[in-house]
Amino acid sequence: MERKSAWDGYKEKDLEQLQEVTEGYKRFLSEGKTERECAALAVSMARENGYISVEEAMEAGHTLKAGDKVYAVHKKKLVVLYQIGERPLEEGMNILGAHIDSPRLDLKQNPLYEDGEMALLDTHYYGGIKKYQWATIPLALHGVVVKKDKSVVELKVGEDPKDPVFGISDLLIHLSGEQLQKKAAVVVEGENLNIIVGSRPSVKGEGDTEEEKEKKEKIKSGILKLLEEQYGIGEEDFLSAELEAVPAGPARDFGLDRSMIIGYGQDDRICAYTSLLAQLRAATPTYTAVCLLTDKEEIGSMGATGMQSRYFENVTAEIMNLTGGYSELALRRCLQRSHMLSSDVSAAFDPNYASAFEKKNTAYLGRGMVFNKYTGARGKSGSNDAGAEYLGALRGLMEEAGVCWQTAELGKVDQGGGGTIAYITANYGMDVIDSGVSLLNMHSPWEVSSKADIYEAYKGYEAFLKAGWSEEGEA
């Protein structure tokens, strides 16, 4: 029952392909640090591989047929790609679903203030984080500012080596006796995640009025002056901005043997990239192949760009209409007869914290992609529990394709738990199972993955998109 390391079976050709996949992943991870950036990268990659937008297909009056490739984008944060299969959509789809949002610090709508001879930005954290991990690390600002005239200013400051970076301070060890007695959850509190962005008062210019020369909060004024000069942004423009503070710097190789990758946002861009790559490289499939990259998973999949919305259902109806086979009943049959891998990360065994894991039922770095039959917490609460028949079919499918895989739970029973978007799509009645890649440091600013697991996940997703299914749902 023990799974072997994927590294043991690699030949030279495998290692070359692994290197090609993981180098592309590092670029994607470094360039896509927000859901907007990931969505834009996915669209760019799709267009390079022959995909056209649903709107273009409609305008051209296309009737979609087997092999045609289309994509849809919703509010610049959610992307769905379809490659039409040989079988009618009514018979179902093979769906790879992942999310492209990650834990981070969002700027509040009125964020900028001055205190203690410094200018700071107030934040509200997004998703589940250990707040103390975000202090004393270099941060970058990414996002958009939409002005009253609807013009959009895009910001990305802190990634170029020539850029300044930002950060959150922590109390020096010499004065932290009281702080160190606190529980870890409140060592750094949410309202103290304030980002330092400046300390220099605005320079008095020859053209300044007396009022400007005597103005209070001169450091804040200096920051506002820089924002106006460099980006055309005023203080009120923060009201309609989406600005995210994320760890500054690129994804890099990890370990002397370069067998791992360290980078921000691997939950869940590691599954998003491998799913996207498998989709883009797929030959004409038996069943329509779908790559679904969604938003808001880290906060419950709510909102217009989250999986709780009806967007995926709606755009699938549009695709079905473009094939000439739409009806409400056909759509319902399509969704119920579909098969899905709900791709999200799992926890890798960490020998430094071995007591949190049950060794027989946990994922290990380097042993391949992970299947989680169920997730949830406290008696599988909130989980999609995949059927034995579906898991059995996937076992055969993966082994036939030579994919290294393992099964896991997220830690010991009653230790904690988690979930993905699987339970949402399972509401349609389709077969869904959680799958993905295991990580060390999950939800931290810098997460660690195995290159072998990334490559095996890509191979597994590629095999899944090719799958045909019997009437009983067997591959």
Side-chain angles (χ1 to χ4, degrees):
M1 293 293 286
E2 186 174 341
R3 317 304 289 185
K4 295 181 180 179
S5 172
W7 292 102
D8 292 342
Y10 290 154
K11 297 181 171 56
E12 191 62 34
K13 184 178 180 182
D14 298 309
L15 292 172
E16 289 174 1
Q17 292 174 343
L18 178 149
Q19 182 73 2
E20 185 258 337
V21 169
T22 56
E23 285 299 308
Y25 171 59
K26 283 195 297 184
R27 289 192 296 272
F28 182 86
L29 201 59
S30 299
E31 295 173 15
K33 289 194 173 183
T34 71
E35 64 280 17
R36 286 175 181 266
E37 290 170 353
C38 287
L41 284 168
V43 168
S44 176
M45 292 169 66
R47 296 193 73 86
E48 288 173 4
N49 284 271
Y51 280 75
I52 64 171
S53 70
V54 171
E55 292 79 12
E56 288 173 311
M58 289 176 177
E59 290 172 6
H62 283 335
T63 297
L64 297 179
K65 58 185 185 303
D68 285 347
K69 304 174 182 180
V70 290
Y71 70 88
V73 184
H74 189 49
K75 299 186 183 299
K76 302 181 180 179
K77 296 180 183 179
L78 186 158
V79 182
V80 197
L81 295 87
Y82 298 80
Q83 183 173 179
I84 307 303
E86 295 170 348
R87 306 288 286 272
L89 271 165
E90 187 174 344
E91 296 185 20
M93 305 176 288
N94 288 345
I95 307 166
L96 298 174
H99 68 90
I100 52 176
D101 60 314
S102 295
R104 59 180 188 257
L105 304 179
D106 286 342
L107 265 58
K108 292 184 178 180
Q109 287 182 281
N110 186 14
L112 183 61
Y113 69 101
E114 180 177 328
D115 193 9
E117 300 297 318
M118 289 181 284
L120 302 100
L121 293 170
D122 212 350
T123 71
H124 194 136
Y125 63 94
Y126 173 97
I129 66 170
K130 290 182 176 179
K131 294 182 279 290
Y132 64 81
Q133 293 178 333
W134 288 76
T136 76
I137 64 171
L139 299 174
L141 285 177
H142 292 234
V144 297
V145 179
V146 182
K147 305 180 77 173
K148 285 189 293 187
D149 63 4
K150 300 182 181 179
S151 61
V152 178
V153 180
E154 295 187 7
L155 283 180
K156 183 187 286 189
V157 185
E159 300 296 349
D160 190 294
K162 297 178 182 178
D163 285 349
V165 293
F166 316 99
I168 298 164
S169 60
D170 193 11
L171 190 61
L172 64 162
I173 186 66
H174 310 75
L175 301 179
S176 60
E178 184 177 328
Q179 181 195 40
L180 292 174
Q181 302 308 310
K182 295 181 178 181
K183 291 184 177 180
V186 292
V187 166
V188 176
E189 299 191 33
E191 281 294 351
N192 291 336
L193 292 172
N194 305 314
I195 301 169
I196 299 169
V197 292
S199 66
R200 179 180 176 179
S202 57
V203 178
K204 295 179 181 178
E206 292 183 4
D208 288 349
T209 64
E210 288 300 318
E211 183 181 354
E212 287 172 328
K213 291 177 182 178
E214 298 301 322
K215 188 183 294 182
K216 294 181 180 180
E217 296 192 320
K218 294 178 182 177
I219 298 170
K220 175 182 173 180
S221 297
I223 295 298
L224 287 171
K225 191 172 183 179
L226 285 171
L227 289 172
E228 179 63 42
E229 291 173 352
Q230 296 183 24
Y231 304 103
I233 298 170
E235 186 170 13
E236 283 198 1
D237 293 324
F238 282 116
L239 294 172
S240 51
E242 289 182 1
L243 294 172
E244 304 174 14
V246 298
R252 300 177 65 179
D253 285 347
F254 189 78
L256 281 173
D257 57 2
R258 297 181 180 270
S259 61
M260 295 167 281
I261 290 172
I262 186 168
Y264 163 69
Q266 298 200 66
D267 179 6
D268 181 37
R269 292 163 191 152
I270 196 168
C271 296
Y273 179 77
T274 46
S275 296
L276 177 62
L277 192 63
Q279 175 81 17
L280 297 180
R281 293 182 175 180
T284 301
T286 302
Y287 292 89
T288 294
V290 180
C291 178
L292 168 61
L293 305 179
T294 187
D295 182 28
K296 297 292 187 288
E297 192 275 345
E298 296 294 358
I299 56 171
S301 295
M302 304 295 184
T305 54
M307 200 61 215
Q308 299 269 20
S309 77
R310 301 288 290 272
Y311 182 74
F312 176 59
E313 180 182 330
N314 293 343
V315 77
T316 299
E318 296 283 7
I319 297 297
M320 186 172 277
N321 192 51
L322 286 169
T323 65
Y326 173 76
S327 72
E328 183 64 17
L329 181 58
L331 176 63
R332 297 296 152 199
R333 287 173 175 167
C334 169
L335 294 169
Q336 180 169 310
R337 293 169 176 170
S338 291
H339 297 80
M340 181 175 178
L341 297 183
S342 176
S343 300
D344 209 338
V345 295
S346 191
F349 177 76
D350 188 337
N352 288 324
Y353 303 97
S355 63
F357 301 88
E358 196 268 280
K359 286 189 175 182
K360 301 191 307 301
N361 290 287
T362 194
Y364 290 82
L365 288 184
R367 293 188 184 177
M369 70 179 295
V370 183
F371 287 101
N372 298 84
K373 186 178 185 297
Y374 45 80
T375 55
R378 299 175 303 282
K380 302 184 183 179
S381 176
S383 171
N384 165 68
D385 194 342
E389 293 85 356
Y390 186 39
L391 188 52
L394 289 171
R395 284 177 57 199
L397 185 67
M398 295 300 144
E399 290 182 9
E400 184 179 346
V403 177
C404 290
W405 59 276
Q406 54 187 318
T407 59
E409 294 185 25
L410 193 61
K412 286 183 175 179
V413 175
D414 289 337
Q415 185 74 28
T420 69
I421 62 173
Y423 74 97
I424 302 170
T425 53
N427 288 333
Y428 293 114
M430 68 175 71
D431 277 316
V432 190
I433 191 169
D434 290 289
S435 71
V437 178
S438 64
L439 296 179
L440 292 176
N441 308 342
M442 190 196 300
H443 276 223
S444 76
W446 295 101
E447 298 164 318
V448 175
S449 60
S450 165
K451 290 183 178 180
D453 297 338
I454 296 166
Y455 179 53
E456 295 301 323
Y458 160 69
K459 288 166 55 183
Y461 296 150
E462 191 175 49
F464 176 80
L465 292 179
K466 295 176 181 177
W469 306 91
S470 69
E471 290 184 4
E472 289 76 31
E474 298 175 350

